[in-house]
Amino acid sequence: YIIGDARVRVLLTQGKLEAELEEIVGTELGVRLICVDQMGEKASGKEELSRSELVMTKGESLAYVIYTSGSTGKPKGMMIEHRSAINLWRGLERAIYATLAGSNQGRKQLRVSLNAPLPFDASVQEWLMLLSGHTLVVIPGEERQDGERLLKYIREEQVEVVDCVPSQLKMPI
């Protein structure tokens, strides 16, 4: 439903999911599957993009669509423009990350948690930190559910910035 509703034309995936996704989206939706783990040279940035592959966007251009649970029982797509995502990133940079990372000249690249599940809008503010050159440390779902395991993972992976919900702060350790 969501792929059709969002009029997805390209879907990034892993090779191990390709057959299953081809079955789901079929050819009638016209979705092109790209297996990022099978891209080789292009995925590592060693191959230049052609002019036709470069896309210029404006602030009002669509950045992404995130689906809500939907009060009617049917998920509803919320369209987010590039300027909204960029405003969020800049606001977080000014309010939080500039202090943590230091001045522009001696700026430290931080290790930031990707703690929120990707389908939730809370994950956006975490992956936007890639625009600042920070490293995202993906917190596995199992660790997110157990306070002791979460704390151990954060320490082992040397995560410097953790964005979490209040219920995670209350988990026993």
Side-chain angles (χ1 to χ4, degrees):
Y1 164 77
I2 291 173
I3 289 171
D5 185 63
R7 297 188 300 262
V8 170
R9 294 296 164 246
V10 177
L11 182 61
L12 303 179
T13 187
Q14 298 172 318
K16 66 183 181 183
L17 302 173
E18 186 176 20
E20 184 180 344
L21 286 170
E22 280 178 346
E23 206 173 288
I24 293 168
V25 298
T27 55
E28 67 275 0
L29 291 178
V31 177
R32 180 175 166 216
L33 296 177
I34 297 177
C35 300
V36 293
D37 57 340
Q38 298 173 356
M39 290 179 66
E41 293 285 310
K42 200 170 202 170
S44 64
K46 294 179 182 172
E47 190 177 294
E48 286 187 35
L49 295 174
S50 70
R51 277 179 107 30
S52 64
E53 291 178 292
L54 298 174
V55 178
M56 299 301 288
T57 60
K58 297 179 179 177
E60 61 273 7
S61 297
L62 183 64
Y64 64 95
V65 178
I66 194 158
Y67 277 77
T68 66
S69 56
S71 57
T72 62
K74 199 171 197 178
K76 180 181 177 186
M78 302 303 297
M79 297 184 291
I80 310 299
E81 297 176 343
H82 277 276
R83 68 172 146 217
S84 297
I86 295 302
N87 285 341
L88 174 60
W89 166 62
R90 285 183 178 153
L92 288 167
E93 272 295 305
R94 278 192 304 269
I96 298 168
Y97 289 88
T99 303
L100 296 173
S103 68
N104 283 340
Q105 289 140 2
R107 189 174 177 92
K108 176 184 178 193
Q109 300 307 305
L110 299 168
R111 294 180 59 77
V112 178
S113 72
L114 179 52
N115 188 33
L118 292 178
F120 295 112
D121 60 347
S123 70
V124 174
Q125 66 190 38
E126 296 166 353
W127 56 258
L128 279 173
M129 292 304 105
L130 290 171
L131 296 173
S132 300
H134 299 302
T135 300
L136 285 185
V137 179
V138 179
I139 310 245
E142 306 81 49
E143 271 70 15
R144 286 196 302 258
Q145 306 304 315
D146 180 297
E148 195 170 312
R149 286 176 66 179
L150 177 61
L151 186 58
K152 181 180 179 207
Y153 191 84
I154 288 168
R155 286 181 177 149
E156 285 175 354
E157 296 298 324
Q158 300 175 358
V159 177
E160 298 166 287
V161 180
V162 178
D163 186 359
C164 66
V165 294
S167 59
Q168 279 184 307
L169 292 175
K170 290 181 176 183
M171 286 192 301
I173 49 174

